[in-house]
Amino acid sequence: MTAPFDRSLTGELAGDAPPEWSVSPQAGDEERVVESALRPHSLHDFIGQPKVARQLALVLEGAKRRGRTPDHVLLSGPPGLGKTSLALIIGSELGTAVKITSGPAIERSGDLAAMLSNLAPGDVLFIDEIHRIARPAEELLYMAMEDFRVDVVVGKGPGATAIPLEINPFTLVGATTRAGLLTGPLRDRFGFVGQMEFYEPAELQRVLARSAALLGVELTDEGSAEIAGRSRGTPRIANRLLRRVRDYAEVEADGRVTREVAEAALALYDVDHLGLDRLDREVLEALVGKFGGGPVGVATLAVAVGEEPHTVEEVCEPFLVRAGLLARTPRGRVATEAAWHHLGRPLPRGGIPLGRVTADPQVPGSSSEALFDA
């Protein structure tokens, strides 16, 4: 069975992406081509996020019945959970075009004004990473979102003139991984805000089953469960691991993705049963082995593993903290009891287990100082 978009997949070799990025939630340039082929095209086909999908369906249906454009939509949450897919689905459900851009690409207000003036009635404008939009462009967006009008400044200095320009009614869909960085005036102009949550393993198995059918991969339930359990609750990572396992199955096995094949493939790509990759384990090993479990600063920890502090802080730490393996404290990073167990190391004498924030008289050397941020 050959998928109609195999042309875009043939250039994507297993060795193109280093193993340490196998579980990164960020998408590479080539991966975006694959993602576009696997994305659902309607809310009915969209898997997961039941609350957001249900709320969004009501917003869109209500707008269609009134014959008006829907309220502006803000989607927030970690990368790889389907914000872009939902933005494209909004355009599909409304039967209108979707114009796509990103916050960092809009550097001047004139760029945004030109984009807004070219929108047809009812079009959807999708701005990814909207929290990174330039301030002058953001201020122009306020009037556009409320009154469907922008002021174009002609000339410079005392002779400059602001010419009001009417624009067609449109729906702005903004996506952000850091909702806290949005300014209050911009956030308040969105009529609907959807918070994307991490997926449960059962939901990821449904995502994998759909992707396997589109890719022409024979995937067993056991193989799907194995991949889903190592995907960090993120569909983008699940689809990426599925493609890597598919490569292994076609080259080293009979092409069928079973539990055994998935385990062997993911072991080859250094993704363990919790979803940790090589870099994650190096961070934990350095924290536990070289610094006795911490506390240690992120810059020192990054030097110990030969990476940039930004990489450790943005790529590794979010999942390690969410998995309960690492804690960010006022004094530095600390390995939890679960991290010691995961690495197969015995807890040091006087070690503080996960969650204990007061002194334990039964444990010598324990402290009453809080380890966790308030």
Side-chain angles (χ1 to χ4, degrees), residues 33 48 58 82 99 128 141 160 206 229 240 243 247 279-280 292 304-305 307-308 310 366:
V33 179
L58 293 175
K99 306 297 176 64
D128 197 12
L141 199 55
R206 292 169 55 201
R240 183 186 301 142
R243 298 195 303 274
D247 295 339
L279 185 56
D280 296 323
V305 298
E307 290 287 350
E308 293 293 328
H310 175 80
S366 65

Side-chain angles (χ1 to χ4, degrees), residues 109-139:
S109 59
D111 299 335
L112 181 60
M115 193 175 302
L116 292 171
S117 63
N118 288 325
L119 293 175
D123 276 358
V124 174
L125 175 62
F126 174 55
I127 303 181
D128 197 12
E129 296 299 314
I130 193 171
H131 63 272
R132 296 176 61 188
I133 192 172
R135 189 58 185 268
E138 178 182 323
E139 293 174 350

Side-chain angles (χ1 to χ4, degrees), residues 199-216:
Y199 282 56
E200 297 295 330
E203 294 174 326
L204 288 177
Q205 285 190 258
R206 292 169 55 201
V207 171
L208 288 167
R210 180 182 180 277
S211 299
L214 292 173
L215 292 169

Side-chain angles (χ1 to χ4, degrees), residues 164-236:
L165 176 65
E166 298 292 332
I167 59 177
N168 291 313
F170 71 100
T171 298
L172 174 65
V173 180
T176 177
T177 55
R178 296 186 174 185
L181 296 184
L182 283 175
T183 61
L186 179 58
R187 184 170 54 249
D188 293 342
R189 283 171 169 78
F190 286 98
F192 172 77
V193 178
Q195 175 63 45
M196 311 288 281
E197 304 290 344
F198 286 103
Y199 282 56
E200 297 295 330
E203 294 174 326
L204 288 177
Q205 285 190 258
R206 292 169 55 201
V207 171
L208 288 167
R210 180 182 180 277
S211 299
L214 292 173
L215 292 169
V217 178
E218 185 178 356
L219 177 65
T220 67
D221 291 341
E222 293 78 12
S224 174
E226 190 64 33
I227 297 173
R230 307 188 188 203
S231 299
R232 302 187 180 211
T234 306
R236 175 177 291 156

Side-chain angles (χ1 to χ4, degrees), residues 319-332:
F319 179 71
L320 293 177
V321 172
R322 186 162 61 89
L325 301 173
L326 180 144
R328 291 176 172 176
T329 77
R331 294 177 294 164

